[in-house]
Amino acid sequence: MHQSAVDLFQLLLQAGAVPGEDFSCDGERQAFHLNDRCHHLLQHAYPEVDWEDVLGISQGWSETAISDLHAALGCPFVDILVATMATRLPTLADNAAASYLCTLLMGVDAATGIVLYPLLMERLDMAGQARLEWLLRQVPEEPTGPEWIQDLVLAAGGTATDCPMQGDEVLLTERGWTLMTKVWQGDWALTPVPDAASSDVASSDAASTRF
């Protein structure tokens, strides 16, 4: 690994990042992976550093991961989801926005290794960027609403029929569920619909999603 990567990892340790959880090294590709917490820690521990320039050495790996995922899904998942998040966040109250943001950033990162945070920042104006930074420092006080599930499935190539609303819940068809598991990983509770055997639909109770 290049010395710059070693130096970066040392800075991450000093900033409070946890190896294996917040960042890792890909020896085969000679690259490294940082999650959103790492970006957040670096920016606040060393605000004088242009981290977009420094972290550019990992851009090739990120672009490869995104290209591979898009090819597998048959659609530009990251582009669609980031655009959707940028539109969705201003419509949500702070607690709901913090939960929505945490749910998607962490879940997509865990499933795909793709860090959405810098891409989302590029989509926002200065006020939106400032709010995003503030939201990342908050501890969500309420479960996220069902919007994140629909945004995720639709961005992954699903349709409205794959993730319809039923009251305060989202129903996932088998296709919707398959798409979701390809791009998101986390803890959630599933409640089978009474006629699931015939309709092939499962109900995901957003209020039971835990992070």
Side-chain angles (χ1 to χ4, degrees):
M1 180 63 67
H2 194 275
Q3 183 61 41
S4 61
V6 175
D7 294 341
L8 176 59
F9 284 5
Q10 291 176 341
L11 289 177
L12 284 167
L13 289 173
Q14 295 172 6
V18 180
E21 295 184 10
D22 296 321
F23 66 93
S24 59
C25 172
D26 185 339
E28 181 178 350
R29 298 188 181 186
Q30 291 292 292
F32 57 91
H33 172 60
L34 286 72
N35 66 11
D36 296 284
R37 172 177 153 81
C38 279
H39 288 270
H40 182 67
L41 288 171
L42 285 172
Q43 289 172 343
H44 284 81
Y46 309 100
E48 71 283 0
V49 177
D50 183 357
W51 288 111
E52 288 190 6
D53 180 59
V54 174
L55 297 177
I57 56 179
S58 67
Q59 184 177 358
W61 183 32
S62 297
E63 291 180 350
T64 298
I66 292 173
S67 296
D68 290 347
L69 180 60
H70 287 182
L73 293 172
C75 68
F77 165 75
V78 172
D79 298 336
I80 296 173
L81 182 60
V82 169
T84 300
M85 292 175 69
T87 301
R88 176 79 71 182
L89 283 171
T91 70
L92 301 175
D94 288 341
N95 283 338
S99 183
Y100 173 88
L101 191 62
C102 178
T103 299
L104 286 178
L105 292 183
M106 294 181 64
V108 171
D109 184 15
T112 68
I114 295 171
V115 180
L116 297 177
Y117 168 77
L119 303 176
L120 181 57
M121 284 288 282
E122 293 177 359
R123 286 273 183 169
L124 301 173
D125 58 19
M126 291 186 64
Q129 292 177 359
R131 185 176 185 239
L132 178 62
E133 287 288 335
W134 182 81
L135 289 172
L136 287 174
R137 293 194 293 270
Q138 309 308 306
V139 177
E141 298 178 359
E142 60 185 50
T144 184
E147 299 91 352
W148 72 273
I149 301 177
Q150 290 187 316
D151 290 351
L152 194 70
V153 172
L154 293 175
T159 66
T161 58
D162 294 317
C163 52
M165 289 291 300
Q166 185 177 82
D168 295 329
E169 298 179 335
V170 174
L171 302 181
L172 292 177
T173 62
E174 182 177 3
R175 180 170 183 266
W177 172 249
T178 299
L179 289 172
M180 179 175 170
T181 56
K182 287 182 178 180
V183 297
W184 187 88
Q185 180 179 326
D187 297 325
W188 62 89
L190 291 178
T191 304
V193 174
D195 61 346
S198 60
S199 64
D200 203 17
V201 176
S203 171
S204 177
D205 183 356
S208 299
T209 302
R210 300 180 300 277
F211 294 89

